Amino acid sequence: LLDRVGDFFRSPLFDESFVKKEVNAINSEHSKNVQDPDYRVFETLASVANPDSPASRFHTGTINTLYNDPPKRGIDIVDELHHYFKSHYCPSRMRLVTVSSEPLQTQLENADAAFGNISAGSGACQAERRTFAEPPPYTPGRMAKWIAIEGTEPRPSLWIQWALPDMTKEFRAQPVAYLVHVLSYTGVDSLTRMLQDSLGLATSVSVFNDMDSAGTRLFYVVYLTKVGRERADLVLDVVFAYLATVLRRGIDEDLYSTLADVSRLEWDWKEPSAPMGAASGYAERMTRLPAHNLLTGDYLIERPNASLVSRLLSMLRPERMNVALVDQDAESHGLFRENEVRTLPHYGVKFSVQELSKILPGAMSLWTSWLDARRGG
């Protein structure tokens, strides 16, 4: 099996008769994504980013973009596959992981026999791997937007997306993990309890992040009650009042230390991954983590960095965010008003984009004053 895999990287056939079959598989994957309510919102928010940044572009493919349309522009698909392969598939960019019951020495010998004589590849392939940090995806003109989205679920939701720097190299500190915990905490006097129990604005809350060389996107998603749907402004008020309180209190280093202890405990008791998952996971992590951190780099908080967390926390400001109100009945509820209604290519999502300051006059200044008040306290 290893010999057959190695042969692919040595001399791939790219048989034209199989191209459409593979494109159909990609198209099926995209069709699945189109049906995912969260994926639709995620891609709509990404579309607002700087059009010169890859972060704003269509990330997968369809039968039209990959197969039907290229020949119309004079592009030979098989030739393009060969060109892409020569530009990106070479040993300096490859990572190989085998998971087997065989002794390690045997696995190493088999891997060397199957892959050791692969050509070094073209100069383009051996060049330093590019990052997507430039041009930045979220410049000032691409933030502080209010996005109304026609959803596919009965329950409305409010998405807040903050644009933060790339934190992939700060894996030992895991600073974003602290932010996620503070925002998703469900104990007494928490933001979640306030939105759900005290004010009845939310049914649930979700916090997650997306991180790569283009930056970190932190998402705070509130699934709204009927009252919350009518008072999205109040939801945002509560969020920024909470952030102002967190800023005023400063970074809780005892909490940070506890999160580190919990990460160690969870790691110690983590179930072993299945062979396929382990192989794919390690191969991906080898592209961005040092060898001695491959096992723990995505899990442990080994070097808490309170000053770094504080810097990120101070970036959770209105001018660094975009807000999306997602409603299945967006049009009938007047969310689009008299604004241009766009349709997201490849997904068919209807949405409109306006300045946040136009939808909520004075709100950004108010929130900013709350956040900055800590300096005088």
Side-chain angles (χ1 to χ4, degrees):
L1 177 60
L2 279 181
D3 290 338
R4 294 186 66 182
V5 176
D7 284 342
F8 169 79
F9 293 103
R10 245 184 307 276
S11 54
L13 297 177
F14 292 125
D15 190 324
E16 187 171 0
S17 63
F18 292 104
V19 170
K20 189 171 184 179
K21 179 181 178 181
E22 294 303 319
V23 170
N24 280 329
I26 296 171
N27 192 70
S28 295
E29 179 71 15
H30 170 67
S31 297
K32 176 182 68 68
N33 293 339
V34 169
Q35 305 303 315
D36 186 314
D38 290 343
Y39 203 98
R40 292 167 66 87
V41 177
F42 191 83
E43 291 301 309
T44 304
L45 285 166
S47 72
V48 180
N50 182 353
D52 294 327
S53 168
S56 69
R57 299 173 194 164
F58 182 43
H59 297 131
T60 51
T62 69
I63 189 73
N64 288 327
T65 62
L66 297 175
Y67 191 81
N68 293 333
D69 294 343
K72 297 175 184 177
R73 303 195 303 271
I75 296 173
D76 186 289
I77 300 171
V78 175
D79 286 347
E80 285 299 307
L81 285 172
H82 279 288
H83 175 73
Y84 189 86
F85 179 87
K86 291 176 181 179
S87 300
H88 296 278
Y89 286 76
C90 57
S92 62
R93 294 196 180 193
M94 292 166 57
R95 303 294 183 268
L96 174 66
V97 176
T98 61
V99 178
S100 170
S101 58
E102 294 181 327
L104 292 179
Q105 187 59 38
T106 302
Q107 292 188 55
L108 285 170
E109 291 171 357
N110 291 340
D112 184 63
F115 296 89
N117 63 348
I118 294 176
S119 168
S122 66
C125 194
Q126 295 180 58
E128 184 177 354
R129 186 180 177 186
R130 67 168 291 192
T131 74
F132 299 108
E134 295 293 337
Y138 292 101
T139 52
R142 295 286 166 178
M143 295 185 284
K145 305 297 184 184
W146 175 274
I147 305 162
I149 300 176
E150 184 177 75
T152 58
E153 292 185 303
R155 63 174 181 175
S157 58
L158 187 73
W159 290 57
I160 305 172
Q161 173 200 308
W162 283 285
L164 303 173
D166 173 20
M167 288 286 114
T168 53
K169 295 185 183 302
E170 302 295 342
F171 60 89
R172 292 182 181 87
Q174 299 277 356
V176 179
Y178 184 98
L179 300 184
V180 170
H181 174 82
V182 167
L183 288 170
S184 61
Y185 176 61
T186 58
V188 177
D189 294 331
S190 64
L191 176 57
T192 302
R193 294 273 68 83
M194 178 64 70
L195 290 172
Q196 290 184 208
D197 301 340
S198 302
L199 299 174
L201 298 171
T203 59
S204 61
V205 168
S206 176
V207 186
F208 62 96
N209 69 90
D210 179 60
M211 191 184 307
D212 54 37
S213 62
T216 301
R217 291 194 289 169
L218 179 63
F219 295 89
Y220 186 79
V221 184
V222 183
Y223 296 98
L224 302 167
T225 62
K226 184 177 180 180
V227 175
R229 158 66 185 80
E230 300 299 325
R231 293 303 310 272
D233 59 325
L234 181 55
V235 174
L236 291 166
D237 284 347
V238 174
V239 169
F240 279 103
Y242 179 79
L243 287 174
T245 299
V246 173
L247 279 167
R248 195 156 47 244
R249 292 175 178 172
I251 304 305
D252 187 334
E253 297 197 33
D254 289 338
L255 170 61
Y256 203 176
S257 179
T258 298
L259 294 177
D261 292 340
V262 170
S263 73
R264 168 59 68 179
L265 185 64
E266 290 177 342
W267 166 253
D268 288 343
W269 290 92
K270 189 177 184 296
E271 290 285 337
S273 301
M276 182 63 74
S280 61
Y282 292 140
E284 186 279 324
R285 289 195 287 276
M286 288 173 72
T287 66
R288 57 184 172 80
L289 293 175
H292 57 278
N293 294 110
L294 286 178
L295 294 178
T296 61
D298 282 350
Y299 302 98
L300 298 186
I301 300 176
E302 297 181 305
R303 298 180 184 174
N305 187 335
S307 62
L308 180 57
V309 174
S310 180
R311 182 164 69 89
L312 290 181
L313 185 60
S314 68
M315 293 181 182
L316 303 186
R317 302 177 65 83
E319 66 269 21
R320 293 188 67 97
M321 74 175 185
N322 286 327
V323 178
L325 180 57
V326 185
D327 189 341
Q328 189 178 47
D329 300 312
E331 194 159 2
S332 62
H333 285 165
L335 293 191
F336 296 146
R337 302 181 186 180
E338 297 181 357
N339 300 294
E340 175 193 2
V341 178
R342 310 178 190 180
T343 300
L344 185 66
H346 314 297
Y347 291 92
V349 180
K350 290 184 178 181
F351 69 104
S352 66
V353 181
Q354 298 180 78
E355 296 298 325
L356 184 59
S357 59
K358 181 179 178 180
I359 298 298
L360 300 175
M364 290 180 62
S365 297
L366 179 63
W367 300 332
T368 299
S369 69
W370 293 347
L371 297 173
D372 291 344
R374 66 189 177 95
R375 297 171 181 164

